[in-house]
Amino acid sequence: MSNYVPQNDVFSHRASIGEVEMSAEAVDRVAVSGSRPTTPPQTSWFEFLLDEMLLEIHLQKSHPDPVPVQLIIQFLEQASKPSVNEQNQVQPPADNCKNRTLKLLALKAAAHLKWDLDVLEKGLTIPVLNMLLNELLCVSKVPPGVKHVDLDLSTLPPTTTMAVIIYNRWAIRTIVLSSFPEKQTKPGPHQMTMLNVVQQEKELTENILSVLKEQATDSIMVLEGALGLKKDFYIHTMRTLDLLAADPSTANGETESSTAGLKISADELHCQVHYDLGGIFFQQGCSDQLAYKKAREHFKHTRELLLKLDSTLRVHLDEKRLAGYWNACKALTGASDPSDTLFNPYGQINCLIKTHNYPALVEAFIKDNVSLSLPNHFRQSVLRELLHKVQQGEGELEEVSHKLCVCNAVRDTLQGEIPSVRFLQLLHKPNKYLVEFMLEVCTRSLDKDCSSETTKRNISIFLKTLCERLAEPHLVFMVTTHKLFTELLTEEQRKLLVDQVRKRSANINLSVKPLPSFYDIPATASINIGQLEQQLILCLDARRIRQILIELHSMAERPFWRINSKWEVPSDYINVILSIKDNLTKDLVYILMAKGLHCIAIKLFSACLELVTEFSPKLRQVMLNEMLLLEVRAHESAAAEGSNVKPQSDLVSRVRGYLEMRIHDLPLRQIVGEECVAFMLNWRENEYLTLQVPQQLVMNNPYIKLGQLLASTCKELPGPKESRRTAKELWEVVVQICSVSNQHKRNSDGRVSLIKQRESNMGILQRSRFITFVKKLREPLVLTTLISLFVRFHSIVRDDIVNEVTAEHLAIWPSTLANMQAVDVEAVAVTVKEIVTHALTLNPNNQSWLITQADIYFVTNLYSAALHFYLQAGVVCSDFFTKAVAPDIYNDQVLKRMIKCCSMLNCHTQVAVLCQFLREVDYMTAFKALQEQNSHDAMDSFYDYIWDVTILEYLTYIHHKRGETEKRLIAIKAIGQTELNASNPEEVLQLAAQKRKKKFLQAMAKLYF
């Protein structure tokens, strides 16, 4: 799989919103300029098409309007607009001069920003930035269809290398940024019509993120490889992009366009790459503790390079975040760095916690109330850590946590903030020692000489609040008689406060009612709504939830299903729920479903059913379907990890029940059908999928249709003639999945367009979803069938008879395509690679799959990788070449391809040895190889593996002719071995040949593994 993220049309669903004709837009601009003459009109996107110099002039303005990121969005939006044909069918955007120019303008706007990912990420959504960077890869001539991790960056032109690095930096940065929590925006009533658009963009973003996460390991390896490059780098500028447009055929060799770009020194780039790698490893540390150590090393290198590059303007990173990362890594890895710890307050606090020096920790918090060096969120996190330890049974830390809570409350007071709820709860059960400590902290936190009047007033308010909250008179007396109290409050304030305390004490003595709680304040409408919303979030009783919603709707009319960002409902259900006209019912259904799904996620199945059963039988069935999905995934996950336990009959019958379900108006998620179909295929339920699934469900769910076709084809595979009918149906479905519009053509320079072109909507599935489904399959026969189909498909679209990929059961598939122009050739190539790679991760010892993988690498000119897999196929069938390799594995075609691989790698002696393996020794190829003097193998060390006397005699002649005495003697020694004597019986000669074959192949395996 290549590192290109497949693109859907990011902007197509916006085409009907706010779209105006050019003439109308011009009229509007004139009207605006006439009414507000001081405001210059905004330049429209189409004006940049008319004047090629306008963009550069526009971007050189001090405050260009629109700004570069807005221009990028406009250019790509226009270039990605779908067209409508005469039959009113939506077609992908045409590959014409206008759209290519718009994409080039978008790249030039990004080049003006010097490809600053910080700016691009803030201004562009993930789908748009993904499209932009894929365009950069395209114009930089990154080989399509090849994994970035398989590229040798040191051999690529400078701008090509930089494009690969920028793309992979963005990939891991996007993964990290997506893991940060985001506050969801709450659209108003006028925005509800945009909900479907927002949902589509969200789904597209999630699809891109899932691909980036799958490729994260490859991206990390690419960037780690970039750290080994010590040369300067060049990044595309507006000038080099103009050079590309002027002469695309020679754009990315070692020409002016690849070395005239913006020069980036190795240290500058390494600093940025180290920082990005540190971020991704830190994010992975939650599941892999060793990742924190890797992150620390990368952040260490970042800090060192930053000091070295102090004056640079092109290293864009958040130094405060870097400092936070650095401190977090040190705390998590337990690493000590004296140079930091002595002067860094974070290091001091972490050191005190690790050494359990809690008195010193409290003292540090008190001193920090004066120095204010630690941020509040860090102090609160330390308190939470101690409270967690108390909950885990370390009761001796309870007093320490109380003291830190007091220190934090005083710190909040000093900064004019309200003390935390935890501190106010602490005042419910105070004691003499706690009050004394509060007064001590207040005294030591207040620098009487330097403190401002505001700070003193805040502390006086804190003391007054303390008196009002304390119930015991003797504790109040401790406060009112303290020196600080008398210094900060006037005599009148003290007298008034003491009178209030006395009155309250008298009331308490006469009253039988308990003390009011600290939040017992006059209730306003907003407070009542807030309290009800809090109850709504915590409640798991359907009747109570309905009652709360009735009360809320009587107070305010707004969508209460949005109050908690953690309430997530799949998009398949959202559309149904939002179509409910009654707002109360809409809120109730959404919240019950969200809570039910949360219960399923944490495996509280009974609680989930209790929550929804009383309200609606259909909602109960939806929850049962989601539970089934969770159980199927759990079982498949265990099977993928090596478990051979067959599914219980109850689970199989429930899966069948889902596939046969006929409940009117019940929304069904395609993902459930997808998982169920994969489950049935993996456990060989082909008979059921073929005959018993309802036809209506087959028509409505593409995964079920695909599963039925796969099951039918696999079921009939033993007889090729009988299986041709079902195989043809499966073939047609897959061809549609990998098709594009008939208008899709090759570019003017002959390049095949990238996968980011819009796929045909005639397929039952998008190709990315098809790949996701295939990666859930484990059954060998199903995977063999799919590999066979795509190998034949790949051979037809490549139309290269000499270099065809081999696989099993190729005879059952059609040998021609009706409409070759409609097929996305690159999509087919990438898909066959992904399926074979997935199959080999499940069973790396399948000989047929290994040969297919080797052939794929062979036809794409990756000869070292091809030889690796050819040898691996021989290894698994011969117990590391201790036995003879079966002739159907190493047939003449495979051997000839191995010979070509060695020849292309300049390993000519290996070529000569392999020529002996053929049924008829290929002397012409062997002699030609031995004539080569520039050989990259060990040459004479392989002479011991040659058993053909004719080749050895030719070797002796060649070395004698060249005057290579030592090598000639080695060849003479090899030819003089008694077991190679032509007078020996045939059995002896065969035994000598087999012995040398095994040793040679073992030596080759050690070289290429």
Side-chain angles (χ1 to χ4, degrees):
M1 180 178 178
S2 71
N3 287 65
Y4 301 123
V5 178
Q7 294 288 305
N8 289 320
D9 189 347
V10 179
F11 301 101
S12 61
H13 53 268
R14 296 182 181 170
S16 62
I17 299 173
E19 189 173 305
V20 291
E21 298 295 330
M22 263 189 214
S23 58
E25 185 177 69
V27 170
D28 289 342
R29 288 178 51 207
V30 171
V32 171
S33 62
S35 59
R36 292 184 296 166
T38 58
T39 304
Q42 189 182 73
T43 310
S44 293
W45 63 268
F46 61 84
E47 296 181 49
F48 297 100
L49 284 175
L50 304 176
D51 183 357
E52 61 182 16
M53 298 301 297
L54 181 59
L55 179 63
E56 191 168 351
I57 296 170
H58 175 80
L59 293 176
Q60 287 174 353
K61 296 178 182 177
S62 56
H63 299 288
D65 184 21
V67 296
V69 289
Q70 290 176 338
L71 284 175
I72 292 171
I73 294 171
Q74 291 176 19
F75 292 147
L76 291 180
E77 180 176 2
Q78 297 300 324
S80 304
K81 274 189 176 181
S83 57
V84 179
N85 61 13
E86 295 177 357
Q87 289 77 32
N88 204 28
Q89 294 177 330
V90 177
Q91 302 292 326
D95 185 16
N96 53 31
C97 180
K98 170 194 165 186
N99 286 344
R100 286 194 296 272
T101 304
L102 284 168
K103 292 174 183 177
L104 182 65
L105 288 171
L107 291 172
K108 290 173 72 174
H112 172 75
L113 297 173
K114 299 180 180 178
W115 301 100
D116 185 349
L117 289 180
D118 286 335
V119 176
L120 294 174
E121 286 165 347
K122 288 177 183 176
L124 304 178
T125 63
I126 289 176
V128 177
L129 186 48
N130 180 41
M131 180 181 290
L132 177 71
L133 293 181
N134 272 283
E135 283 298 330
L136 175 63
L137 293 174
C138 179
V139 301
S140 299
K141 294 295 181 67
V142 176
V146 180
K147 283 186 175 182
H148 289 178
V149 73
D150 292 335
L151 297 173
D152 185 355
L153 298 183
S154 62
T155 63
L156 297 177
T159 49
T160 306
T161 301
M162 200 64 188
V164 173
I165 293 172
I166 289 174
Y167 178 89
N168 287 281
R169 277 187 55 217
W170 168 75
I172 64 171
R173 287 164 64 100
T174 302
I175 295 170
V176 173
L177 290 173
S178 69
S179 66
F180 295 160
E182 292 184 0
K183 184 177 180 181
Q184 290 189 346
T185 56
K186 297 184 179 181
H190 64 285
Q191 293 175 298
M192 294 303 289
T193 57
M194 296 286 290
L195 192 60
N196 287 335
V197 175
V198 173
Q199 187 62 35
Q200 289 177 31
E201 286 192 353
K202 182 180 178 182
E203 289 178 4
L204 182 55
T205 300
E206 289 173 352
N207 289 340
I208 293 172
L209 281 173
S210 67
V211 175
L212 293 179
K213 289 174 182 177
E214 287 178 8
Q215 298 173 352
T217 304
D218 287 353
S219 293
I220 290 171
M221 292 175 66
V222 169
L223 294 177
E224 287 177 337
L227 293 175
L229 303 177
K230 305 303 181 184
K231 63 182 181 180
D232 291 333
F233 299 85
Y234 291 88
I235 187 170
H236 274 304
T237 61
M238 297 179 74
R239 178 171 175 267
T240 59
L241 290 169
D242 282 333
L243 288 173
L244 289 177
D247 189 7
S249 61
T250 61
N252 230 35
E254 291 295 340
T255 63
E256 185 184 9
S257 65
S258 62
T259 55
L262 180 65
K263 182 179 177 181
I264 306 292
S265 71
D267 284 342
E268 288 179 80
L269 184 71
H270 290 174
C271 180
Q272 194 71 64
V273 170
H274 275 302
Y275 179 73
D276 294 335
L277 285 172
I280 189 69
F281 281 125
F282 189 88
Q283 192 247 355
Q284 294 175 351
C286 299
S287 55
D288 179 11
Q289 288 293 316
L290 292 175
Y292 286 128
K293 293 184 178 180
K294 294 180 182 178
R296 184 178 183 275
E297 287 305 310
H298 283 293
F299 289 133
K300 179 181 178 182
H301 290 307
T302 306
R303 286 156 54 90
E304 292 170 353
L305 288 169
L306 266 182
L307 294 174
K308 186 177 177 182
L309 300 168
D310 191 38
S311 61
T312 183
L313 298 177
R314 290 193 289 272
V315 176
H316 301 282
L317 53 84
D318 188 339
E319 293 193 36
K320 289 185 179 179
R321 184 178 290 276
L322 174 61
Y325 272 135
W326 176 247
N327 290 317
C329 287
K330 288 195 299 177
L332 291 165
T333 58
S336 59
D337 191 339
S339 63
D340 281 335
T341 305
L342 291 176
F343 304 101
N344 191 327
Y346 295 98
Q348 292 176 359
I349 298 298
N350 287 324
C351 183
L352 293 174
I353 294 174
K354 287 176 185 175
T355 57
H356 307 292
N357 191 354
Y358 296 115
L361 178 64
V362 174
E363 184 68 20
F365 268 52
I366 296 174
K367 290 181 179 179
D368 184 65
N369 283 352
V370 178
S371 63
L372 305 178
S373 57
L374 295 173
N376 278 341
H377 62 82
F378 178 75
R379 292 170 60 113
Q380 293 294 343
S381 68
V382 173
L383 175 57
R384 283 194 296 270
E385 184 178 343
L386 290 184
L387 289 170
H388 178 69
K389 290 182 178 181
V390 172
Q391 293 173 352
Q392 297 298 316
E394 299 184 38
E396 67 276 6
L397 296 180
E398 185 172 10
E399 183 181 352
V400 179
S401 66
H402 289 169
K403 289 184 176 181
L404 292 187
C405 184
V406 170
C407 292
N408 286 346
V410 174
R411 168 67 174 271
D412 291 337
T413 300
L414 288 168
Q415 295 182 326
E417 299 176 5
I418 301 173
S420 66
V421 174
R422 186 173 287 112
F423 172 74
L424 296 176
Q425 290 173 334
L426 193 61
L427 295 182
H428 284 177
K429 296 180 181 179
N431 56 52
K432 175 184 175 183
Y433 302 106
L434 186 62
V435 174
E436 285 180 349
F437 181 74
M438 291 180 190
L439 294 170
E440 178 191 353
V441 173
C442 289
T443 303
R444 296 181 57 186
S445 300
L446 193 64
D447 189 341
K448 298 183 181 63
D449 297 329
C450 301
S451 297
S452 64
E453 289 300 321
T454 303
T455 304
K456 292 179 182 179
R457 184 168 64 252
N458 290 339
I459 289 293
S460 67
I461 293 172
F462 178 81
L463 294 176
K464 288 165 63 178
T465 304
L466 197 59
C467 292
E468 293 169 356
R469 298 289 182 183
L470 294 172
E472 299 294 331
H474 70 281
L475 297 178
V476 177
F477 182 74
M478 287 176 61
V479 178
T480 56
T481 56
H482 194 271
K483 181 181 178 183
L484 186 64
F485 184 86
T486 58
E487 288 179 352
L488 296 181
L489 276 76
T490 64
E491 183 177 352
E492 184 179 351
Q493 288 174 327
R494 295 198 301 272
K495 183 178 179 182
L496 181 62
L497 184 60
V498 170
D499 289 341
Q500 289 176 352
V501 171
R502 284 175 180 170
K503 290 179 182 178
R504 189 191 64 191
S505 300
N507 292 336
I508 292 171
N509 291 336
L510 295 174
S511 174
V512 295
K513 295 181 180 179
L515 283 170
S517 64
F518 68 89
Y519 51 79
D520 189 15
I521 57 178
T524 63
S526 60
I527 291 175
N528 285 336
I529 291 174
Q531 290 174 344
L532 287 172
E533 287 179 344
Q534 184 71 13
Q535 293 177 34
L536 187 62
I537 291 171
L538 299 175
C539 185
L540 278 176
D541 179 81
R543 291 185 179 180
R544 178 59 184 151
I545 289 172
R546 186 173 185 275
Q547 183 181 353
I548 293 171
L549 284 171
I550 292 172
E551 293 183 42
L552 285 170
H553 276 272
S554 67
M555 298 178 184
E557 194 61 36
R558 64 172 185 249
F560 290 101
W561 57 274
R562 286 182 167 275
I563 64 172
N564 187 358
S565 62
K566 298 294 183 183
W567 286 342
E568 294 183 353
V569 171
S571 58
D572 303 77
Y573 302 143
I574 286 180
N575 295 330
V576 177
I577 295 172
L578 295 184
S579 65
I580 300 173
K581 294 182 179 179
D582 181 66
N583 291 332
L584 175 61
T585 306
K586 183 189 302 180
D587 285 346
L588 180 59
V589 174
Y590 186 97
I591 292 169
L592 289 178
M593 182 173 287
K595 286 177 176 286
L597 292 172
H598 175 69
C599 290
I600 292 172
I602 59 177
K603 299 186 178 179
L604 295 177
F605 299 136
S606 58
C608 170
L609 293 178
E610 289 175 8
L611 184 67
V612 300
T613 298
E614 184 176 348
F615 176 76
S616 168
K618 288 184 180 179
L619 192 54
R620 182 179 188 274
Q621 185 59 53
V622 168
M623 293 298 108
L624 288 172
N625 293 345
E626 294 295 324
M627 291 179 194
L628 175 63
L629 174 64
L630 188 72
E631 290 187 53
V632 167
R633 281 177 169 171
H635 195 279
E636 288 298 284
S637 187
E641 292 174 1
S643 172
N644 293 321
V645 179
K646 291 186 177 181
Q648 296 180 356
S649 57
D650 172 63
L651 180 58
V652 176
S653 63
R654 285 166 57 202
V655 171
R656 290 183 174 183
Y658 175 83
L659 295 177
E660 297 170 7
M661 190 178 299
R662 294 186 183 87
I663 300 179
H664 183 62
D665 289 340
L666 182 70
L668 298 176
R669 290 179 68 194
Q670 284 193 351
I671 184 65
V672 184
E674 176 186 359
E675 295 282 355
C676 288
V677 170
F679 175 85
M680 298 296 273
L681 287 171
N682 287 336
W683 294 102
R684 303 177 185 88
E685 294 283 342
N686 294 340
E687 192 75 29
Y688 175 81
L689 286 172
T690 305
L691 300 175
Q692 299 181 32
V693 177
Q695 191 62 28
Q696 182 182 0
L697 203 57
V698 173
M699 299 305 295
N700 292 336
N701 192 321
Y703 296 105
I704 298 176
K705 180 177 179 61
L706 187 60
Q708 188 181 68
L709 291 173
L710 277 170
S712 301
T713 305
C714 292
K715 179 184 170 186
E716 299 174 2
L717 261 185
K721 292 183 179 178
E722 292 79 4
S723 64
R724 285 182 185 273
R725 181 179 58 82
T726 53
K728 185 178 180 182
E729 292 181 28
L730 178 60
W731 172 271
E732 291 172 352
V733 166
V734 170
V735 168
Q736 290 291 346
I737 290 173
C738 293
S739 294
V740 292
S741 167
N742 290 332
Q743 293 182 2
H744 181 64
K745 299 178 182 178
R746 294 175 181 266
N747 294 336
S748 58
D749 60 356
R751 291 183 295 110
V752 178
S753 298
L754 293 175
I755 304 171
K756 66 177 185 200
Q757 293 290 348
R758 185 178 179 90
E759 299 172 13
S760 171
N761 54 10
M762 297 177 66
I764 63 172
L765 278 175
Q766 292 180 351
R767 193 186 69 87
S768 59
R769 295 183 183 275
F770 172 74
I771 291 295
T772 303
F773 172 71
V774 170
K775 288 183 178 180
K776 293 175 182 176
L777 301 176
R778 294 179 292 99
E779 214 288 313
L781 185 58
V782 176
L783 289 172
T784 298
T785 303
L786 284 168
I787 289 171
S788 173
L789 187 156
F790 271 95
V791 165
R792 170 52 63 88
F793 197 1
H794 185 245
S795 297
I796 293 173
V797 297
R798 285 186 75 251
D799 194 19
D800 186 354
I801 300 175
V802 177
N803 293 322
E804 286 193 343
V805 182
T806 57
E808 297 180 90
H809 311 301
L810 290 177
I812 68 173
W813 310 111
S815 56
T816 58
L817 278 174
N819 187 3
M820 186 81 75
Q821 298 298 322
V823 176
D824 189 337
V825 179
E826 189 61 37
V828 177
V830 171
T831 304
V832 70
K833 290 178 186 177
E834 290 194 12
I835 296 176
V836 176
T837 302
H838 166 66
L840 287 173
T841 58
L842 297 173
N843 181 9
N845 295 328
N846 187 299
Q847 299 159 21
S848 172
W849 297 346
L850 287 168
I851 293 293
T852 301
Q853 180 75 298
D855 285 346
I856 290 171
Y857 282 122
F858 179 81
V859 301
T860 52
N861 303 328
L862 298 172
Y863 299 110
S864 179
L867 198 52
H868 168 92
F869 282 98
Y870 284 132
L871 289 167
Q872 190 171 339
V875 164
V876 298
C877 72
S878 64
D879 197 11
F880 202 79
F881 301 117
T882 56
K883 305 171 186 174
V885 180
D888 60 328
I889 300 298
Y890 278 1
N891 54 37
D892 272 11
Q893 178 179 330
V894 170
L895 290 170
K896 286 178 180 178
R897 289 187 172 188
M898 292 173 70
I899 288 169
K900 183 175 180 181
C901 288
C902 292
S903 177
M904 298 304 293
L905 294 171
N906 287 331
C907 297
H908 301 296
T909 315
Q910 296 171 15
V911 170
V913 177
L914 283 170
C915 285
Q916 304 171 109
F917 284 61
L918 298 168
R919 290 184 182 179
E920 295 184 7
V921 179
D922 187 351
Y923 290 112
M924 291 293 292
T925 303
F927 292 166
K928 185 178 179 181
L930 293 173
Q931 289 173 8
E932 296 286 345
Q933 290 184 286
N934 184 25
S935 186
H936 293 173
D937 55 19
M939 296 185 68
D940 50 350
S941 66
F942 285 106
Y943 292 176
D944 286 339
Y945 304 129
I946 301 176
W947 64 87
D948 188 280
V949 177
T950 305
I951 294 177
L952 286 171
E953 289 175 344
Y954 185 78
L955 264 175
T956 306
Y957 164 74
I958 285 290
H959 290 314
H960 174 73
K961 186 178 178 182
R962 294 175 184 165
E964 297 169 343
T965 307
E966 291 183 7
K967 293 181 179 180
R968 176 173 171 270
L969 291 175
I970 294 172
I972 292 173
K973 182 180 177 182
I975 204 173
Q977 298 176 79
T978 55
E979 57 190 355
L980 298 183
N981 193 316
S983 302
N984 288 337
E986 186 65 25
E987 293 82 2
V988 175
L989 295 174
Q990 287 293 330
L991 189 62
Q994 289 298 329
K995 175 183 173 183
R996 284 161 176 74
K997 280 184 180 181
K998 292 175 184 177
K999 287 186 176 180
F1000 173 71
L1001 291 171
Q1002 287 172 348
M1004 290 284 284
K1006 291 176 182 177
L1007 280 175
Y1008 289 97
F1009 282 4

